[in-house]
């Protein structure tokens, strides 16, 4: 779980004399569940990137619309 690693990141940043708040944490292939995205956001993840399946545009565009809807509700 990425949130389990954030204290490690903070400790390493401190050792290096850096402010962990200046480091933007991103997660790739993020889950699409709204509650999980809210947990990640609240835990300090600043940006998520969703993975997309290989699919024709007529299948992929509705999926992208659904992801946009979830992302907007999480904010």
């Amino acid at each position: 779980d990425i949130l389990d690693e954030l204290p490690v990141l903070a400790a390493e940043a401190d050792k290096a004399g850096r402010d962990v708040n200046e480091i933007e944490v991103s997660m790739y292939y993020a889950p699409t569940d709204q509650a999980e995205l809210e947990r990640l956001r609240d835990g300090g993840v600043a940006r998520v990137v969703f993975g997309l399946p290989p699919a024709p545009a007529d299948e992929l565009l509705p999926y992208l619309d659904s992801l946009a809807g979830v992302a907007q509700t999480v904010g």
Side-chain angles (χ1 to χ4, degrees):
D1 187 325
I2 192 171
L3 296 185
D4 293 339
E5 301 301 322
L6 293 183
V8 175
L9 176 64
E12 292 299 317
D14 188 53
K15 281 189 218 176
R18 293 195 56 195
D19 179 1
V20 73
N21 295 314
E22 293 177 3
I23 300 171
E24 184 175 280
V25 176
S26 299
M27 180 178 189
Y28 294 86
Y29 296 99
T32 58
D33 176 72
Q34 182 176 349
E36 182 64 11
L37 291 170
E38 289 171 353
R39 185 182 79 83
L40 292 169
R41 178 202 59 207
D42 296 345
V45 175
R47 180 183 308 174
V48 297
V49 177
F50 299 111
L52 298 176
D58 62 329
E59 294 175 24
L60 198 54
L61 291 174
Y63 181 65
L64 286 170
D65 287 340
S66 71
L67 290 179
V70 170
Q72 287 177 348
T73 61
V74 174

